[in-house]
Amino acid sequence: MIRSLLTAASLLAMAPAALAQAAPPVAAQSVAAQSLAEVRARTPNQEVVYFVLPDRFENGDPKNDTGGLKGDRLKTGYDPTSKGFFHGGDLKGLTSRLDYIQGMGATAIWFAPIFKNKVVQGPKGDESAGYHGYWVTDFTQVDPHFGTNADFKAFVDAAHARGMKVYMDILVNHTADVIQYRDPGDYAYRSKADYPYSRRGGPGGAPINPGFNGDNDPRPENWAKLTDPSWAYTPYVPKEEASVKVPAWLNDPIYYHNRGNSNWVGEGAVYGDFVGLDDVATEHPRVVAGMIEIYASWIERFGIDGFRIDTAKHVNPEFWQAFVPAILQVAKNKGIPNFHIFGEIATQDIDPALLARWTRVAGLPSNLDMAFASAVVQASSGKIGTNVLARLFEDDALYEGGEKAALNLPTFLGNHDFGRFSMFVKQFNPGISHDELLARVMLGNAMLLTLRGVPVVYYGDEQGFISDGNDQLARENMFPSKVAVYNDNDLIGTEATTAQSNFDRNHPLYRQIATLAEVRKATPALYAGSTIGRAFIDKPGLFAVSRIDPQTGQEVVLAFNTSNQPITQRVAIEPRSLTFKPLAGQCARSADAPGSLTITLPPLGYAVCAAQETSVSNR
């Protein structure tokens, strides 16, 4: 929270590189006429994405707060005072705030799943609601808490009319927790070795599924022999939920792994239930065809522009090898040539090889860049040296398609699962001042919006939200909250709390993101350019790279100071780059000599310097 003694002048002094180039208060933008074909012609790397949980963004229709249900919160799922229940946000609310989202520079919106969910689940006394969207029962319609399919169409049409793309969050790994086991116990994972498909309840059990050749044989005639799902546990569907899932084939336990809860290792990471959720047997050809049909329908009915795939690494690679080309073909047939598919390969390690593996063995076109998030969060927090950032981009060669494909990796700093970026900065810097916290967050934002990849802004970050933890603690309301553990948070850059509506276009973080988003969109080197490492060190300090425009060869030098000390240092540049224009921060106007440029940065400052005059001759 900005204290009253912090004037505008002191903010500029605190983080000059962050705010010196900030735009004046952002007014509602006029939307240039843009055809849908022009929107769809943009490639994924050109976008700036805003990620939002619809339930927590804006309540446009209080009549749907309870989803049309009656009773207490365990019946309706609605309790705006609890972080684990529906709060009332919906599609009409999201549509009403498109101007705010676009005003920040976002060109695409990705939102958590809006499919119909199991309203409430969990053990007695620890129940929560499906406000987040990941407990799907009906894959064909919008959850009534969010509105209707017609409301979704209105949202997509309104976004497209503004020149904005729409990315849906989808899942195939699991459904809601509906299937139960008759067996007693804690339902620990039971492996294929100890509980083969050929015997009921283990090798000593009665023979079942004669002739089934295992789940590596994709032939339909093989899978037709798998008829008894009681190989590990004895699954059943409670009578009152016998037909709750849509499409109807999803109600049959034969289409699930039924091996108990995941142990998150090896086979269990793919075949185990994700914290009790029904784990779909994605090896089954009926499942493959059914999931393609489900998600093709959303493209055909609504003309959406991309999918983020939840829990992608918990699905067998062969499924994605079939699913991805089929979906891309459906999108192409619909006139969407640049349909963006990106998977969630969850990790908080700086491990590009893990992420790249899924683009190679599974055929996923792109993945959320978890390695970028961990590296940039730690570097901008002053936790690690900037050499880790240099290595991160060197490893872009690991992805299928190499460095060019890495341009399409969605990059982020915090999210609804791990927690907010500002929280990590605080954790890495106990006792950090408000001024330094704001400056380090701005430094991270600058990296997000100028380094390679597709920047994803997590809703509320632009309003200084700062979570107390991960998961439910990082899913605050943008409209006035009644959740005590949200409302006591000390927000960054504002006197506001989450008890108020937080759509302030003058917030310093909103203004910074809007400014840098415009710089990015106007500078092809930043969204399409290659990356050349220029300066890095094994401790906090200077990180500098050049981004090279693939069409013109223009060089744009990016420089970041992750330390609390000012820096003046020469970096190598292209000899042809002679004079420079600052796009953000302060830049030397000319090279010291062909091939050399002096970078001067304040503590936690950054600069974006675009070469203007170019020559191949020495001066």
Side-chain angles (χ1 to χ4, degrees):
M1 186 180 294
I2 295 182
R3 308 307 179 189
S4 58
L5 56 86
L6 286 180
T7 64
S10 65
L11 277 172
L12 286 168
M14 169 195 66
L19 286 172
Q21 296 294 319
V26 181
Q29 293 189 351
S30 59
V31 182
Q34 193 174 30
S35 72
L36 187 55
E38 290 174 314
V39 174
R40 290 172 169 169
R42 295 198 309 257
T43 51
N45 58 298
Q46 294 179 264
E47 309 302 338
V48 175
V49 182
Y50 190 70
F51 172 44
V52 60
L53 271 66
D55 179 62
R56 303 299 164 89
F57 195 67
E58 181 63 292
N59 190 343
D61 184 2
K63 294 191 298 295
N64 62 29
D65 287 355
T66 63
L69 303 170
K70 297 185 182 301
D72 64 13
R73 71 177 193 167
L74 297 183
K75 298 292 186 182
T76 68
Y78 177 68
D79 182 357
T81 69
S82 171
K83 66 184 188 301
F85 284 77
F86 283 99
H87 289 179
D90 51 36
L91 288 167
K92 287 182 179 179
L94 190 57
T95 306
S96 73
R97 293 292 186 177
L98 283 173
D99 191 67
Y100 165 86
I101 297 170
Q102 189 171 44
M104 189 174 47
T107 62
I109 303 171
W110 153 34
F111 45 86
I114 47 85
F115 313 109
K116 187 176 182 180
N117 268 229
K118 187 168 184 175
V119 179
V120 173
Q121 64 182 43
K124 187 174 182 179
D126 194 28
E127 302 93 344
S128 61
Y131 69 92
H132 42 68
Y134 295 100
W135 298 342
V136 182
T137 54
D138 186 341
F139 287 81
T140 68
Q141 69 169 301
V142 169
D143 191 287
H145 292 85
F146 300 141
T148 64
N149 285 12
D151 292 335
F152 182 64
K153 184 179 188 305
F155 166 73
V156 174
D157 291 347
H160 282 163
R162 288 178 165 272
M164 304 177 76
K165 292 184 178 180
V166 175
Y167 296 158
M168 294 186 77
D169 202 319
I170 69 168
L171 56 167
V172 303
N173 176 69
H174 58 264
T175 70
D177 182 15
V178 174
I179 296 174
Q180 305 299 311
Y181 299 142
R182 298 192 186 280
D183 319 71
D186 59 0
Y187 307 124
Y189 182 73
R190 292 182 172 178
S191 70
K192 292 195 288 183
D194 292 329
Y195 295 86
Y197 291 109
S198 60
R199 293 291 186 272
R200 180 176 293 123
I208 57 173
N209 303 315
F212 180 62
N213 194 37
D215 57 20
N216 288 324
D217 183 344
R219 295 174 302 143
E221 56 266 33
N222 175 54
W223 285 89
K225 298 172 183 176
L226 188 74
T227 58
D228 187 333
S230 58
W231 45 81
Y233 290 98
T234 308
Y236 74 98
V237 177
K239 184 178 299 185
E240 64 274 15
E241 295 184 294
S243 59
V244 71
K245 293 181 184 179
V246 180
W249 61 265
L250 284 163
N251 293 297
D252 189 339
I254 202 67
Y255 297 121
Y256 297 83
H257 286 131
N258 304 311
R259 291 187 174 275
N261 290 319
S262 176
N263 56 11
W264 314 114
V265 178
E267 174 193 305
V270 176
Y271 288 80
D273 291 349
F274 194 96
V275 196
L277 299 170
D278 298 350
D279 199 70
V280 180
T282 47
E283 305 83 11
H284 200 301
R286 178 67 182 93
V287 171
V288 176
M291 287 296 180
I292 290 171
E293 182 180 5
I294 286 168
Y295 291 116
S297 172
W298 287 91
I299 299 171
E300 292 164 342
R301 286 184 291 159
F302 301 103
I304 54 162
D305 306 288
F307 288 152
R308 178 265 191 185
I309 303 171
D310 183 64
T311 53
K313 74 174 183 179
H314 299 292
V315 174
N316 59 306
E318 295 81 5
F319 176 90
W320 301 125
Q321 293 167 11
F323 181 86
V324 168
I327 290 298
L328 291 178
Q329 186 61 53
V330 170
K332 184 177 179 181
N333 294 344
K334 182 70 174 177
I336 311 170
N338 294 302
F339 195 85
H340 196 191
I341 297 177
F342 51 102
E344 178 202 27
I345 311 299
T347 179
Q348 288 186 279
D349 296 329
I350 304 173
D351 188 359
L354 171 65
L355 307 177
R357 177 181 179 273
W358 284 85
T359 68
R360 289 188 175 273
V361 304
L364 289 172
S366 192
N367 290 316
L368 283 166
D369 196 346
M370 303 279 176
F372 178 100
S374 293
V376 171
V377 166
Q378 293 183 58
S380 57
S381 298
K383 176 70 173 178
I384 58 175
T386 59
N387 59 317
V388 176
L389 295 174
R391 175 60 188 273
L392 173 75
F393 299 117
E394 290 173 359
D395 284 344
D396 284 351
L398 299 175
Y399 292 92
E400 182 69 29
E403 184 177 317
K404 185 175 181 181
L407 293 171
N408 292 333
L409 297 174
T411 54
F412 67 100
L413 300 176
N415 65 17
H416 60 319
D417 290 329
F418 297 155
R420 293 190 180 274
F421 171 40
S422 52
M423 178 195 74
F424 292 118
V425 176
K426 284 190 69 175
Q427 290 176 347
F428 287 131
N429 296 275
I432 190 173
S433 69
H434 288 84
D435 291 359
E436 183 180 348
L437 178 58
L438 177 59
R440 287 195 179 277
V441 168
M442 287 183 156
L443 178 64
N445 286 344
M447 293 183 182
L448 176 68
L449 286 152
T450 60
L451 293 170
R452 74 98 182 96
V454 183
V456 177
V457 177
Y458 182 41
Y459 85 98
D461 281 359
E462 78 279 7
Q463 295 296 328
F465 283 15
I466 182 165
S467 56
D468 290 328
N470 64 353
D471 198 72
Q472 294 180 5
L473 290 169
R475 301 171 181 178
E476 304 94 324
N477 293 16
M478 292 285 282
F479 61 101
S481 172
K482 298 179 181 179
V483 179
V485 293
Y486 296 163
N487 295 344
D488 65 1
N489 288 350
D490 200 7
L491 307 189
I492 306 169
T494 180
E495 292 284 355
T497 73
T498 56
Q500 303 164 240
S501 182
N502 282 278
F503 296 95
D504 180 8
R505 295 171 184 248
N506 290 317
H507 192 289
L509 292 174
Y510 182 99
R511 294 172 62 201
Q512 183 212 16
I513 292 168
T515 299
L516 290 176
E518 289 305 312
V519 169
R520 184 181 186 277
K521 284 184 280 186
T523 312
L526 297 184
Y527 61 77
S530 59
T531 298
I532 302 173
R534 298 301 194 188
F536 49 88
I537 191 172
D538 62 357
K539 60 183 179 181
L542 179 63
F543 178 61
V545 301
S546 292
R547 306 290 310 279
I548 307 298
D549 187 318
Q551 298 298 320
T552 67
Q554 180 194 36
E555 179 176 13
V556 178
V557 178
L558 311 178
F560 310 91
N561 181 4
T562 67
S563 77
N564 281 312
Q565 301 299 319
I567 287 176
T568 297
Q569 181 178 327
R570 285 194 176 97
V571 300
I573 57 172
E574 298 300 299
R576 66 179 180 271
S577 300
L578 303 179
T579 62
F580 288 84
K581 175 184 178 182
L583 302 183
Q586 303 300 313
C587 304
R589 296 291 178 170
S590 61
D592 300 327
S596 179
L597 178 70
T598 294
I599 297 294
T600 299
L601 293 174
L604 308 179
Y606 63 88
V608 180
C609 308
Q612 300 299 294
E613 179 188 358
T614 61
S615 173
V616 295
S617 62
N618 291 336
R619 289 184 293 173

